[in-house]
């Protein structure tokens, strides 16, 4: 009886760990990698229960290798998890990390029009858009100059003109206002293509640290448009595609709410797997 209780506690702790991983990662495309790792782990456990020593050895080492590969691919998410753990703010993982900020279509139109004209003129630009709670400016290398002005196409184009003092930094956009300009962002330490300039690496760097934001980048050399989110670049983009992505981001989403049902389904499958394994061993 005690052994069964220990196994139940073991499974519950694994479920909690999986839940935290799903909350940190958040993206459904990465959820399939987690599922694949779980399948490998379950297969390794089953092989050991059935005393298939060679198969168990292979699956155990394969699971270990897959875990290491995932740790390399998801280093930004794991870094966030460890930072929250070190700060004692682990409960933030259970709060909604994607609370989209409502934004009128007119603001998106102004933003897209400004980006399109900057792209056509090959004027470099970097913009940070908040997706939820306000960003702590301590995460910036330099907070920049406070503006707190209404967002407009003309204002954005003026800031990024090479003749202005603030054109080298980023602008921080909160809802329909430009909060600050000349913001200096931390540079990503990831190995990236040589075609990426400082603006792209800065966009990757801040989105690696902060989940509730995305960055729009306009290349000064090519005029190409990019979006950075969670440390990854989506490029090159057309202005129409940029508009679609922004509308998706600022439309209330329920993607984060699917984590709990996924966890419940996983729990049911693990419970069924455990019962089936016990019956198989008894036979």
């Amino acid at each position: 009886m005690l052994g069964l209780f220990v196994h139940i506690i073991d499974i519950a702790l694994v479920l909690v760990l999986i839940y935290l991983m799903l909350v940190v990662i958040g993206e459904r495309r990465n959820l399939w990698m987690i599922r694949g790792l779980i399948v490998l782990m379950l297969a390794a456990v089953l092989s050991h229960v059935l005393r298939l020593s060679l198969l168990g050895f292979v699956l155990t080492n394969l699971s270990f290798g897959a875990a290491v590969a995932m740790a390399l691919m998801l280093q930004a998410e794991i870094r966030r998890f460890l930072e929250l753990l070190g700060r004692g703010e682990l409960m933030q993982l259970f709060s909604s990390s994607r609370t989209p900020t409502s934004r009128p279509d007119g603001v998106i139109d102004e933003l897209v029009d400004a980006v399109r004209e900057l792209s056509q003129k090959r004027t470099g630009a970097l913009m940070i858009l908040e997706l939820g709670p306000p960003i702590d400016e301590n995460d910036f290398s330099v907070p920049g100059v406070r503006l707190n002005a209404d967002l407009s196409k003309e204002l954005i184009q003026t800031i990024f003109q090479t003749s202005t003092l603030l054109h080298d930094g980023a602008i921080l956009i909160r809802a329909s206002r430009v909060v600050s300009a000349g913001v200096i962002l931390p540079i990503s330490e990831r190995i990236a293509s040589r075609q990426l300039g400082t603006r792209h690496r800065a966009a990757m760097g801040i989105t690696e640290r902060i989940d509730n934001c995305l960055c729009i980048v306009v290349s000064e050399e090519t005029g190409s448009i990019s979006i950075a989110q969670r440390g990854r670049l989506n490029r090159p983009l057309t202005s129409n595609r940029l508009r679609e992505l922004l509308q998706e981001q600022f439309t209330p989403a329920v993607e984060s709410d699917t984590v709990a049902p996924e966890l419940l389904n996983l729990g049911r499958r693990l419970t069924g797997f455990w019962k089936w394994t016990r019956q198989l061993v008894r036979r």
Side-chain angles (χ1 to χ4, degrees):
M1 186 66 182
L2 181 60
L4 178 61
F5 179 75
V6 171
H7 284 302
I8 293 175
I9 294 297
D10 191 18
I11 292 174
L13 291 176
V14 170
L15 287 175
V16 171
L17 181 59
I18 293 171
Y19 178 81
L20 292 177
M21 292 176 68
L22 294 180
V23 172
V24 171
I25 293 172
E27 298 182 9
R28 293 189 63 86
R29 60 182 180 181
N30 292 331
L31 186 60
W32 292 104
M33 291 193 298
I34 296 291
R35 288 176 173 176
L37 180 60
I38 293 171
V39 170
L40 284 177
M41 294 172 61
L42 293 178
V45 171
L46 179 59
S47 62
H48 284 296
V49 170
L50 298 178
R51 298 182 179 180
L52 302 175
S53 57
L54 181 59
L55 180 61
F57 173 80
V58 172
L59 291 175
T60 299
N61 285 278
L62 187 59
S63 300
F64 177 77
V68 172
M70 286 184 56
L72 293 175
M73 290 185 290
L74 304 176
Q75 54 182 309
E77 290 80 0
I78 294 175
R79 178 187 300 174
R80 174 176 177 258
F81 175 81
L82 293 177
E83 285 180 354
L84 291 176
L85 185 62
R87 295 175 185 171
E89 301 173 353
L90 199 58
M91 293 304 296
Q92 287 187 10
L93 292 175
F94 296 91
S95 61
S96 176
S97 60
R98 290 194 56 181
T99 307
T101 305
S102 59
R103 196 161 306 209
D105 289 339
V107 174
I108 295 179
D109 291 339
E110 290 281 326
L111 187 57
V112 172
D113 289 344
V115 170
R116 182 175 60 248
E117 294 191 17
L118 290 170
S119 173
Q120 292 172 350
K121 297 176 181 178
R122 295 193 177 184
T123 301
L126 178 56
M127 311 171 199
I128 316 163
L129 280 69
E130 291 182 346
L131 300 180
I135 297 173
D136 185 356
E137 294 186 356
N138 291 326
D139 289 313
F140 301 147
S141 299
V142 178
V145 178
R146 201 80 177 176
L147 295 181
N148 196 25
D150 290 333
L151 186 149
S152 66
K153 177 180 68 174
E154 292 77 13
L155 175 61
I156 294 175
Q157 290 178 325
T158 301
I159 291 174
F160 288 112
Q161 290 301 314
T162 56
S163 57
T164 66
L165 298 176
L166 301 176
H167 76 279
D168 275 337
I171 62 172
L172 174 61
I173 298 175
R174 178 177 300 155
S176 59
R177 302 187 71 79
V178 178
V179 178
S180 54
V183 179
I184 305 302
L185 304 179
I187 303 298
S188 173
E189 297 178 357
R190 284 186 177 181
I191 299 176
S193 171
R194 294 182 180 179
Q195 297 177 351
L196 301 180
T198 304
R199 288 188 178 90
H200 294 88
R201 295 181 62 84
M204 293 170 60
I206 193 62
T207 55
E208 285 174 359
R209 295 191 177 193
I210 303 174
D211 281 347
N212 61 317
C213 75
L214 64 83
C215 285
I216 300 175
V217 186
V218 179
S219 172
E220 187 173 355
E221 294 182 359
T222 64
S224 65
I225 303 171
S226 308
I227 277 186
Q229 192 170 14
R230 293 180 180 269
R232 296 178 177 86
L233 278 177
N234 185 355
R235 61 187 290 268
L237 301 174
T238 64
S239 58
N240 289 333
R241 180 56 181 160
L242 174 65
R243 188 190 309 275
E244 292 174 0
L245 291 175
L246 292 179
Q247 289 173 344
E248 290 174 5
Q249 288 292 336
F250 299 112
T251 300
V254 296
E255 181 178 345
S256 59
D257 296 334
T258 63
V259 171
E262 293 285 355
L263 183 64
L264 293 175
N265 291 333
L266 181 61
R268 296 190 188 102
R269 293 173 184 174
L270 286 176
T271 303
F273 171 79
W274 175 247
K275 292 180 179 178
W276 176 78
T277 304
R278 285 178 56 85
Q279 293 175 357
L280 187 62
V281 172
R282 287 176 180 176
R283 292 176 185 174

